[in-house]
Amino acid sequence: SDIHGLGNIYLSIMNYLENIRKNEEIELYINGDLIDRGPDSADVLLDIKKKIEKNRFKIVYLGGNHELMMHEVFEKRKKGIYVSDFNDWYNNGGWITDFGLEGELEDKDKIIEVSDFVSNLKIYHKFEEKINNKNIILVHAACPFNVKEECDLRIKDNNNSVFYYVWTREQDSYLPFRCRVGSKDYFTIVGHTPNNNPFGFEYHKNQNYLNIDGGC
């Protein structure tokens, strides 16, 4: 979760997976915010898109709030709406991804293809496995209110539910109610809010969730 365009960390993960793939079946789950802020954001995004298309092993890439911000900017551009350089995406490090894509892909149609790839990312994933008789949900920021066997929400839906699931933090003061990151019904794995654990994860027993945003 939350690699944020740090190519050295991304490559170390991929190299490790390629090594063990020779001997066992593997699956990779990316819990949002793969892009923005880090210098290799465009390269990381293009590489994961290529890996998913090649389908050498199972990769589930879920959207986070940074993928949502990217989608919002590109949707406005497609409609011919002017987007200021002071938009939310750029203010949160999105300009690195945007400029990187322009440098790597001179063809605008190719850039739109990448933005469509991001727009179609799912919001959560429900695992078949259980912990203490509870299903496990992987989502960027907060457990969905209505969990289905197969996620029917994508970044491009961009409704109130999508916003809540990729943006929520417990301490958010702008919400009209006390938000809940975890759920009593599901063991929830989130990123989004950097934790202070040197090992990169933090277990919140009272809300039944695990935070794996190691602060990349």
Side-chain angles (χ1 to χ4, degrees):
S1 190
D2 298 84
I3 297 295
H4 281 300
L6 292 183
N8 59 331
I9 293 177
Y10 174 81
L11 287 176
S12 69
I13 293 170
M14 289 302 171
N15 289 337
Y16 170 74
L17 293 178
E18 284 293 343
N19 285 331
I20 65 172
R21 188 179 66 87
K22 301 167 186 174
N23 301 313
E24 58 185 287
E25 186 176 337
I26 60 172
E27 299 176 359
L28 171 63
Y29 295 85
I30 300 172
N31 200 15
D33 286 8
L34 185 64
I35 57 173
D36 300 346
R37 296 182 180 151
D40 309 304
S41 292
D43 291 333
V44 165
L45 180 57
L46 292 172
D47 188 72
I48 201 66
K49 178 178 179 292
K50 183 165 58 177
K51 281 182 166 55
I52 290 173
E53 290 169 350
K54 286 186 174 180
N55 197 29
R56 294 179 68 186
F57 57 89
K58 182 177 180 179
I59 300 176
V60 175
Y61 175 15
L62 302 178
N65 58 305
H66 282 259
E67 284 82 4
L68 179 61
M69 287 187 284
M70 176 180 172
H71 161 77
E72 290 170 341
V73 167
F74 274 92
E75 282 303 292
K76 289 179 180 177
R77 287 178 181 172
K78 289 177 187 176
K79 296 174 183 176
I81 300 173
Y82 170 73
V83 181
S84 166
D85 288 347
F86 298 100
N87 62 74
D88 286 344
W89 187 38
Y90 270 34
N91 290 338
N92 283 281
W95 63 271
I96 298 178
T97 307
D98 202 17
F99 291 173
L101 289 175
E102 287 185 0
E104 293 286 338
L105 304 171
E106 296 180 0
D107 187 340
K108 289 187 178 180
D109 289 339
K110 291 290 184 182
I111 297 177
I112 293 299
E113 183 182 311
V114 175
S115 75
D116 288 345
F117 166 75
V118 169
S119 297
N120 280 289
L121 296 176
K122 292 183 178 181
I123 299 301
Y124 66 87
H125 179 81
K126 180 182 177 183
F127 290 95
E128 293 181 4
E129 298 83 1
K130 293 187 177 184
I131 291 180
N132 296 331
N133 295 318
K134 293 183 179 180
N135 282 110
I136 309 166
I137 300 297
L138 186 68
V139 64
H140 185 64
C143 188
F145 301 122
N146 182 23
V147 176
K148 297 185 178 180
E149 290 297 322
E150 181 65 29
C151 176
D152 61 340
L153 281 175
R154 296 178 184 268
I155 285 290
K156 64 183 179 183
D157 293 320
N158 198 13
N159 53 28
N160 289 337
S161 294
V162 170
F163 181 89
Y164 186 90
Y165 303 153
V166 303
W167 269 108
T168 294
R169 290 187 172 96
E170 283 186 67
Q171 66 268 31
D172 284 341
S173 59
Y174 60 84
L175 290 169
F177 52 88
R178 174 140 177 88
C179 58
R180 302 286 291 181
V181 171
S183 166
K184 64 181 178 61
D185 298 316
Y186 299 97
F187 183 81
T188 309
I189 303 173
V190 301
H192 188 49
T193 303
N195 63 70
N196 297 317
N197 189 318
F199 298 102
F201 62 88
E202 199 171 68
Y203 176 45
H204 295 255
K205 186 176 181 180
N206 61 326
Q207 277 203 49
N208 197 38
Y209 76 88
L210 182 71
N211 179 319
I212 59 169
D213 180 357
C216 285

